[in-house]
Amino acid sequence: MTAAYTLYAKPGFAATTIERLCSEARISNRAFYECFGGREELLQALHERCVEESLAVVTKALQEAPGTLDGRIEAGIRAYVEFTTADWRRARIMHLEVRRSGDVLAASRQRAVQSFARLVEEAVADFPESQSLNRRLVARGAIGALQELLIEWLLADDPPEVGELVSVAVHIFSRTLGRP
């Protein structure tokens, strides 16, 4: 998994063969297939690990956040963006390579979005100002915007600073979740 974490991030999932994975990990092809059914299954395992770790970090930040809607939004966004961008490989796997794998990991990606959407919905449920629109749809839209900001950070020739990503994402979430 360590070899895949690096290789799937660069040169990328499509360019990484099982032979290269096994060579990098110093294991035989047979040993690989004893653990995983193929490259896609390994990418799914990596993606799910990244998602679980991210959910844990955001959940903790939300529990420690101030008791205001803006405080929760700021804490959750900051925790997610800082954790995701702390390791470019994590960001690439979660926001680029899982998409580039095509339909193979669509279900895994959708489960991740649903998990984060539920977290957002729960975090804002106690605030009446967040109830003017369908929170599930608003949460999904805001999450999509955040994903696009992180893709911009990954692919831009001159990527925005992490603090700027946080500020823009907080603005988007605050406007969509907190203002009627």
Side-chain angles (χ1 to χ4, degrees), residues 27-104:
I27 62 170
S28 68
N29 285 14
R30 179 179 176 191
F32 174 86
Y33 284 110
E34 287 174 0
C35 297
F36 299 100
R39 295 177 325 122
E40 296 82 3
E41 192 175 309
L42 177 54
L43 179 58
Q44 181 174 347
L46 284 171
H47 179 252
E48 289 174 358
R49 177 186 283 177
C50 291
V51 168
E52 288 171 16
E53 291 171 350
S54 300
L55 283 167
V57 166
V58 173
T59 299
K60 183 175 189 265
L62 290 171
Q63 290 168 347
E64 296 171 355
T68 64
L69 180 60
D70 288 339
R72 285 190 185 170
I73 290 171
E74 167 83 22
I77 295 293
R78 181 169 303 286
Y80 182 77
V81 171
E82 289 179 354
F83 181 75
T84 302
T85 59
D87 187 334
W88 63 273
R89 297 171 301 178
R90 179 185 306 123
R92 283 193 71 95
I93 287 168
M94 290 180 70
H95 295 289
L96 284 177
E97 297 306 321
V98 89
R99 289 173 183 236
R100 290 176 174 169
S101 69
D103 292 339
V104 175

